[in-house]
């Protein structure tokens, strides 16, 4: 097929066999369901209540039975033809289970009534349960299933009790107001109405099962040690088939094998990030430093007792023995191995996790850090599998940002490096082998980047704090050009500032065409040299939508044969607006995919999602999102993977490989430290250079080096006084200089940064539109050069050349 046909002509060309479409195909829907089952986590199963036996009778409670949330809101939403909630799932298994229809009818009616009033899924009120209905349900069965659902979205954060006093700068004030009205103590906790319902059900039923339809960390204290609640399935936001996936697992059609990608503490206040999260709309102080998630709870004195469910935890219907734990050196690498045997009665999978403990030394270290993992295949009862996991000693190095050993260098401090192998951060066995270093070893010497300018102190491994030196403060709004106040842009604005797309039909141009570069007839340098300054300035901004796209395009210089290639949102499926009439597959949220602990699962999802992107004539998918779960309060955690950068990087790298196997681009976002949605365009993320490198950039680094994403999206926020999209340290020195990245960088859409500053920093394209007039004015004043503009243009063109 001729190159760029999809971009130029928007054809209706199905990718499936026999001319069938793959978009929301049965194969992709089945994949979505199976991926959901791989990542759901069984937290509790007292008295082996689960799986339910064939012929069981159950009564369903909680508005979450019908108020099912397939995924979060904003750019992560997906238009689908249907959604299966938990009731639907049981209905599809009705040959083996019976549901008490009266409670189902009650909750269906209550939820539909609230939807008719404008409520969105996950934001409805728990209705009052009548005693008479409860009594009839208890007469029908001794088994109750409670569903709890939660919703969050882009542009707003989750709240805590008493948080109404501060000035609000959320982009979705309506959702903030609805959340504050509905959740008296914040949606981390149950509402009073939910607590009353749970109490009623516990008092009436011998067996109570809870299904949690949530996108991130929530309160687990209410069921952890409550003997009245027998079992809990963390079903997450499982996509369009999440309800069926959960029902099948409850019935034993599959065995839960998910492991937590986050630590679940007893209280919201137990997370060190909670206290300062909403302190100001203007900044966030990352004072906990590298001690995020389990690195905090497993290290800081007194923190371990605050955990209900540790990182990596997850039960199964069967039992596994992990034996033969050992670590050895082989071919310059370290190799951990263990044998996993299924000693229970059900087929199942287990995840072998490898952690290391580094010497505290002068720098201070987490008590444990994840260095490798591997999920077994499906093991039948009595079967076993040997698992081998390889890693480099250099990957255990710490960054010395203050010069305690070697300033601005990754260092392996002298001492003993101990290895722990098991099935969660706490359920491990110590390997006999220990790596002994007699002297400090500098792994890589670098230079200071993104140093703090306002963060005064940071946490140490003993829970105390050390003062931080301050770098030179920067005014992100300093500008040689007259500053224009940026209003909310009209979504049609790119059609005004950029050239309308068109195609030459049989008209020969005397100008070199981009296809000549693709065919090797001329170099990219030769092609770019012929472009005028005006051509370059236009191409460095977003281009008009075509076809079903709604997030604009790249390129679009028709007289030079540069196509206008379209982008589309993710990450839980291809996002196409409902009015287009196209339904796509809604896959599970990223938190669930992280809990699969299996990059092969994310890769399969990426392959399927990427195929839908391509079939709908989109060239670049704006996914995956890999910011760290620093706090449960971030409203966009459902889009992100984990509190751990290693797990995040490995899982998301699988997603990128899968997407790009279709010859469409993945876009890794949001680079970087975009861990809060409130005032995300103006909030300063204040962190130490060590925390930035070891925690907040590490996942991006893994993905760049292992999956080579076509593009990366810079974030809205400020980092230590510099806007991310204008940050030369971040985009040129670290991303390209240290990591060797050769792909394209785009801004996030409608940011508040100055276009010429972005070009100088190495941010190639400004979305959803650019400001060519301001670029040209800045060039005229010497603030940006043609060479810098050409460098950005070449990276855009290199991306377009990769497109089929």
């Amino acid at each position: 097929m001729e190159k760029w046909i999809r971009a130029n002509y928007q054809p209706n060309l199905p990718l499936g066999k026999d001319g069938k479409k793959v978009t929301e195909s049965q194969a992709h829907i089945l994949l979505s369901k199976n991926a959901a089952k791989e990542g759901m986590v069984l937290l509790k199963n007292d008295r082996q209540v689960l799986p339910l036996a064939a012929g069981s009778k159950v009564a369903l409670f909680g508005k979450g039975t019908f108020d099912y949330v397939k995924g979060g809101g904003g750019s992560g939403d997906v238009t689908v033809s249907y959604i299966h909630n938990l009731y639907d799932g049981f209905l599809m298994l009705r040959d083996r289970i019976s549901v008490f229809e009266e409670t189902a009818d009650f909750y269906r009616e209550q939820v539909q009534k609230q939807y008719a009033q404008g409520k969105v899924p996950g934001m409805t009120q728990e209705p009052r349960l009548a005693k008479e209905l409860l009594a009839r349900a208890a007469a029908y069965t001794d088994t109750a299933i409670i569903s709890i659902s939660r919703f969050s979205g882009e542009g707003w954060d989750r709240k805590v009790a008493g948080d109404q006093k501060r000035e609000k700068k959320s982009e979705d004030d309506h959702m903030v107001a609805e959340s504050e009205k509905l959740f008296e103590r914040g949606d981390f906790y149950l509402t009073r109405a939910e607590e009353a319902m749970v109490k009623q059900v516990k008092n009436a039923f011998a067996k109570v099962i809870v299904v949690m339809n949530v996108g991130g960390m929530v309160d687990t204290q209410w069921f952890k040690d409550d003997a009245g609640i027998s079992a809990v399935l963390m079903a997450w936001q499982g996509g369009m088939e999440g309800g069926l996936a959960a029902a099948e697992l409850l019935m034993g059609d599959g065995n839960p094998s998910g492991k937590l990608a986050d630590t679940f503490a007893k209280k919201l206040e137990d997370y060190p990030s909670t206290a300062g999260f909403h302190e100001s709309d203007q900044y966030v102080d990352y004072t906990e430093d590298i001690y995020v998630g389990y690195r905090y709870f497993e290290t800081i004195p007194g923190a371990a007792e605050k955990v209900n469910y540790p990182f990596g935890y997850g039960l199964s219907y069967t039992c596994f023995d992990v034996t033969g734990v050992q670590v050895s050196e082989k071919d310059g690498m370290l190799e951990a191995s263990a044998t996993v045997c299924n000693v229970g009665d059900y087929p199942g999978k287990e995840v072998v996790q490898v952690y290391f403990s580094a010497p505290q030394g002068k720098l201070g270290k987490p008590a444990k850090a994840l260095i490798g993992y591997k999920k077994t295949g499906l093991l039948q009862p009595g079967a076993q599998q040997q698992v081998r996991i390889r890693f480099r000693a250099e990957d255990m190095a710490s960054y010395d940002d203050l010069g305690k050993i070697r300033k601005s260098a990754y260092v392996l401090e002298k001492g003993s490096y101990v290895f722990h192998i098991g099935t969660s951060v706490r359920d491990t066995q110590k390997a006999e082998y220990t790596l002994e270093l007699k002297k400090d070893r500098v792994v890589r010497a670098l230079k200071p980047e993104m140093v703090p300018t306002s963060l005064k102190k940071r946490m140490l491994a003993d829970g105390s704090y050390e003062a931080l030196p301050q770098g030179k403060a920067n005014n992100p709004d300093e500008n040689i050009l007259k500053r224009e106040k940026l209003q909310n842009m009209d979504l049609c604005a790119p059609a005004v500032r950029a050239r309308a797309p068109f195609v030459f039909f049989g008209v020969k141009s005397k100008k070199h065409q981009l296809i000549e570069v693709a065919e090797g007839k001329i170099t990219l340098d030769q092609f770019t040299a012929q472009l005028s300054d005006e051509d370059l300035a236009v191409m460095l901004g977003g281009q008009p939508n075509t076809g079903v796209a709604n997030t604009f395009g790249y390129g679009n210089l028709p007289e030079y044969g540069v196509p206008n290639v379209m982008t589309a949102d993710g990450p839980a499926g291809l996002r196409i607006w409902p009015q287009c009439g196209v339904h796509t597959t809604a896959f599970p949220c990223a938190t669930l995919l992280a809990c699969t602990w299996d990059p092969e699962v994310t890769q399969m999802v990426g392959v399927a999602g990427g195929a839908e992107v391509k079939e709908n004539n989109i060239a670049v998918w704006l996914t995956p999102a890999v910011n760290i779960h620093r706090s449960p309060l971030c409203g966009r955690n459902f889009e992100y993977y984990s509190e751990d950068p290693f797990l995040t990087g490995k899982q998301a790298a699988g997603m990128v490989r899968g997407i790009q196997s279709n010859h469409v681009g993945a876009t890794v976002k949001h680079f970087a430290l975009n861990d809060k949605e409130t005032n995300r365009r103006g909030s300063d993320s204040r962190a130490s250079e060590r925390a930035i490198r070891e925690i907040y950039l590490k996942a991006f680094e893994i993905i760049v080096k292992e999956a080579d994403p076509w593009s990366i999206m810079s974030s809205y926020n400020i980092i230590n006084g510099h806007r991310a999209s204008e940050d030369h340290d971040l985009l040129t020195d670290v991303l390209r200089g240290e990591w060797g990245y050769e792909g394209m960088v785009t801004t996030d859409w409608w940011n508040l940064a100055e276009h010429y500053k972005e070009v100088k920093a190495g941010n190639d394209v400004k979305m959803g539109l650019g400001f060519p007039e301001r670029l040209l004015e800045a060039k005229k004043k010497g603030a940006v050069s043609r060479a810098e503009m050409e460098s950005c243009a070449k990276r855009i063109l290199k991306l377009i050349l990769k497109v089929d």
Side-chain angles (χ1 to χ4, degrees):
M1 188 168 69
E2 182 182 332
K3 194 170 183 65
W4 301 316
I5 276 183
R6 288 186 178 275
N8 286 332
Y9 302 102
Q10 296 290 308
N12 179 10
L13 293 176
L15 292 177
K17 295 179 180 179
D18 302 322
K20 295 181 179 179
K21 286 186 173 292
V22 299
T23 302
E24 207 191 43
S25 62
Q26 286 303 308
H28 287 186
I29 291 171
L30 179 61
L31 172 63
S32 177
K33 183 192 74 171
N34 289 338
K37 291 168 72 172
E38 288 283 334
M40 292 182 178
V41 181
L42 185 62
L43 292 182
K44 185 175 182 179
N45 193 21
D46 293 351
R47 305 185 304 279
Q48 285 69 55
V49 168
L50 295 175
L52 296 169
S56 293
K57 296 180 178 180
V58 296
L60 306 180
F61 293 93
K63 53 97 173 177
T65 305
F66 290 92
D67 186 25
Y68 170 73
V69 180
K70 73 179 188 303
S75 61
D77 199 7
V78 181
T79 302
V80 294
S81 58
Y82 71 87
I83 298 170
H84 279 150
N85 57 42
L86 186 64
Y87 172 81
D88 296 329
F90 281 127
L91 198 63
M92 298 171 75
L93 304 174
R94 56 183 173 271
D95 58 328
R96 288 180 291 146
I97 190 167
S98 300
V99 173
F100 182 63
E101 293 293 345
E102 283 193 59
T103 56
D105 291 341
F106 168 73
Y107 285 109
R108 183 192 299 107
E109 179 183 348
Q110 292 294 319
V111 169
Q112 289 178 349
K113 183 184 298 183
Q114 293 188 57
Y115 285 174
Q117 295 169 351
K119 301 289 185 181
V120 300
M123 298 289 283
T124 59
Q125 293 183 337
E126 185 66 45
R128 182 171 298 179
L129 182 60
K131 294 179 181 179
E132 297 78 11
L133 179 58
L134 184 68
R136 291 196 296 273
Y140 177 82
T141 180
D142 65 350
T143 304
I145 301 178
I146 296 172
S147 291
I148 301 293
S149 63
R150 288 291 184 269
F151 174 82
S152 61
E154 181 178 3
W156 55 287
D157 290 307
R158 301 168 70 186
K159 305 303 168 190
V160 296
D163 192 42
Q164 287 77 24
K165 62 181 181 299
R166 63 178 189 84
E167 179 186 0
K168 296 177 177 61
K169 291 191 177 180
S170 298
E171 294 175 24
D172 197 332
D173 290 335
H174 170 71
M175 294 306 299
V176 172
E178 286 295 306
S179 178
E180 290 176 348
K181 187 177 2 177
L182 180 62
F183 301 105
E184 308 95 328
R185 297 175 296 166
D187 73 341
F188 183 85
Y189 297 102
L190 295 183
T191 65
R192 302 298 185 197
E194 287 172 330
E195 287 181 337
M197 177 270 294
V198 169
K199 184 177 181 180
Q200 284 181 281
V201 173
K202 286 193 305 179
N203 290 337
F205 292 85
K207 302 174 185 176
V208 177
I209 300 161
V210 173
V211 175
M212 300 293 292
N213 170 211
V214 298
M217 291 166 275
V218 291
D219 179 32
T220 56
Q221 189 68 15
W222 61 276
F223 58 71
K224 170 67 167 58
D225 297 315
D226 190 334
I229 296 177
S230 306
V232 179
L233 180 68
M234 190 63 65
W236 307 114
Q237 293 166 351
M240 63 193 298
E241 288 283 12
L244 176 58
E248 287 186 355
L249 284 181
L250 295 176
M251 287 299 299
D253 288 355
N255 190 342
S257 62
K259 300 285 185 175
L260 290 180
D262 297 299
T263 303
F264 278 65
K266 292 181 179 180
K267 298 184 298 182
L268 177 60
E269 295 74 18
D270 291 333
Y271 295 93
S273 58
T274 299
F277 189 87
H278 286 306
E279 177 179 282
S280 172
D281 287 341
Q282 303 304 314
Y283 62 84
V284 182
D285 284 340
Y286 289 52
T287 52
E288 73 281 356
D289 205 55
I290 62 170
Y291 301 102
V292 178
Y294 71 87
R295 287 171 169 81
Y296 170 82
F297 290 107
E298 304 304 314
T299 306
I300 305 303
E305 63 195 34
K306 300 176 181 179
V307 174
N308 275 341
Y309 297 103
F311 178 79
Y313 174 88
L315 299 176
S316 171
Y317 295 152
T318 193
C319 299
F320 296 97
D321 275 350
V322 180
T323 59
V325 167
Q326 60 181 348
V327 175
S328 60
E329 290 187 80
K330 189 173 184 180
D331 302 326
M333 299 282 286
L334 293 168
E335 182 177 272
S337 61
T339 299
V340 180
C341 182
N342 184 347
V343 295
D345 299 324
Y346 297 91
K349 300 178 182 181
E350 182 58 283
V351 178
V352 176
Q353 305 166 30
V354 183
Y355 299 86
F356 72 94
S357 297
Q360 284 297 314
K362 296 178 181 179
L363 298 181
K365 317 289 193 316
K368 290 180 181 177
L370 184 69
I371 193 69
Y373 62 93
K374 175 70 176 178
K375 197 170 198 175
T376 69
L378 184 66
L379 299 178
Q380 299 297 322
Q384 64 182 33
Q385 177 182 338
Q386 188 175 51
V387 173
R388 299 182 185 275
I389 300 164
R390 305 189 77 196
F391 54 94
R392 304 183 310 159
E394 290 83 354
D395 293 334
M396 299 185 291
S398 299
Y399 187 76
D400 182 3
D401 54 359
L402 297 185
K404 296 178 180 179
I405 298 170
R406 172 76 177 271
K407 184 173 173 57
S408 304
Y410 279 98
V411 177
L412 286 168
E413 289 198 73
K414 63 184 178 183
S416 300
Y417 289 77
V418 180
F419 301 96
H420 311 267
I421 303 174
T423 56
S424 80
V425 71
R426 292 189 175 178
D427 186 9
T428 61
Q429 303 172 50
K430 180 181 174 182
E432 185 174 325
Y433 172 87
T434 299
L435 177 65
E436 298 286 349
L437 294 182
K438 295 183 179 180
K439 61 180 183 179
D440 297 331
R441 175 183 164 194
V442 175
V443 171
R444 190 178 184 189
L446 300 168
K447 67 184 183 70
E449 308 284 2
M450 299 171 290
V451 297
T453 58
S454 300
L455 184 69
K456 306 300 184 185
K457 64 179 183 178
R458 68 173 171 197
M459 184 179 289
L460 299 175
D462 63 0
S464 65
Y465 291 85
E466 71 175 351
L468 286 174
Q470 302 298 294
K472 182 180 179 181
N474 174 68
N475 178 7
D477 293 323
E478 184 179 351
N479 204 324
I480 67 161
L481 304 180
K482 183 179 179 182
R483 188 71 178 174
E484 296 176 355
K485 186 176 180 181
L486 300 179
Q487 306 293 339
N488 289 329
M489 301 295 183
D490 185 334
L491 293 181
C492 296
V496 176
R497 293 187 177 270
R499 306 178 185 195
F502 66 96
V503 181
F504 287 104
F505 293 96
V507 177
K508 293 186 177 180
S509 172
K510 293 182 180 180
K511 299 171 181 176
H512 284 299
Q513 302 292 292
L514 188 60
I515 192 66
E516 296 177 65
V517 180
E519 294 171 347
K521 296 177 180 178
I522 62 171
T523 66
L524 185 59
D525 286 344
Q526 289 174 310
F527 177 84
T528 309
Q530 70 178 330
L531 302 179
S532 68
D533 290 350
E534 291 76 11
D535 292 328
L536 291 173
V538 167
M539 191 167 61
L540 300 191
Q543 303 301 317
N545 288 317
T546 62
V548 297
N550 60 70
T551 52
F552 314 117
Y554 304 143
N556 193 31
L557 293 178
E559 59 268 43
Y560 298 95
V562 178
N564 184 14
V565 301
M566 290 295 105
T567 67
D569 264 325
L574 170 60
R575 185 173 187 243
I576 296 175
W577 282 351
Q579 56 265 39
C580 295
V582 178
H583 297 143
T584 62
T585 307
F587 295 100
C589 73
T591 303
L592 184 152
L593 293 178
C595 291
T596 68
W597 287 65
D598 191 347
E600 292 183 10
V601 172
T602 54
Q603 183 162 336
M604 287 189 293
V605 171
V607 170
E612 297 195 13
V613 166
K614 183 173 186 174
E615 186 172 75
N616 286 279
N617 304 315
I618 304 294
V620 181
W621 197 12
L622 307 176
T623 190
V626 298
N627 296 94
I628 295 299
H629 289 177
R630 174 180 176 262
S631 169
L633 294 173
C634 177
R636 218 165 170 182
N637 276 349
F638 65 93
E639 281 195 39
Y640 308 145
Y641 285 73
S642 170
E643 67 187 27
D644 182 75
F646 182 84
L647 178 63
T648 296
K650 292 291 185 178
Q651 292 295 107
M655 177 71 75
V656 171
R657 286 191 295 269
I659 293 167
Q660 295 185 169
S661 68
N662 295 280
H663 300 285
V664 297
T667 302
V668 187
K669 60 185 185 183
H670 307 89
F671 194 55
L673 287 85
N674 186 179
D675 308 305
K676 178 180 176 181
E677 287 296 287
T678 305
N679 192 30
R680 56 184 175 167
R681 288 175 170 84
S683 181
D684 189 359
S685 297
R686 302 170 173 178
S688 76
E689 188 184 357
R690 182 182 181 187
I692 290 173
R693 288 180 177 276
E694 291 188 19
I695 303 296
Y696 298 100
L697 298 190
K698 183 59 67 176
F700 290 95
E701 182 180 2
I702 291 170
I703 298 164
V704 165
K705 292 180 176 179
E706 296 187 4
D708 191 21
W710 289 11
S711 63
I712 287 176
M713 183 191 297
S714 60
S715 54
Y716 289 122
N717 54 288
I718 298 165
I719 303 172
N720 287 337
H722 298 262
R723 294 192 186 279
S725 63
E726 299 175 349
D727 195 334
H728 191 277
D729 285 8
L730 178 67
L731 303 181
T732 294
D733 293 351
V734 174
L735 177 61
R736 295 193 170 100
E738 295 181 16
W739 302 351
Y741 181 63
E742 296 182 350
M744 191 198 84
V745 176
T746 176
T747 69
D748 206 336
W749 273 229
W750 322 112
N751 70 12
L752 299 182
E754 176 59 60
H755 198 170
Y756 82 84
K757 291 184 180 181
E758 293 173 332
V759 171
K760 289 188 73 66
N763 202 118
D764 303 311
V765 62
K766 188 174 188 66
M767 298 296 282
L769 60 83
F771 294 87
E773 300 92 343
R774 293 178 69 80
L775 269 181
L776 293 172
E777 182 184 354
K779 179 180 179 295
K780 185 177 180 180
K781 293 184 176 182
V784 68
S785 68
R786 177 178 169 94
E788 289 167 327
M789 293 169 66
E790 278 195 16
S791 293
C792 292
K794 287 175 188 176
R795 288 189 286 260
I796 297 170
L797 292 171
K798 285 179 182 178
L799 180 148
I800 294 172
L801 286 165
K802 295 176 184 178
V803 176
D804 283 346

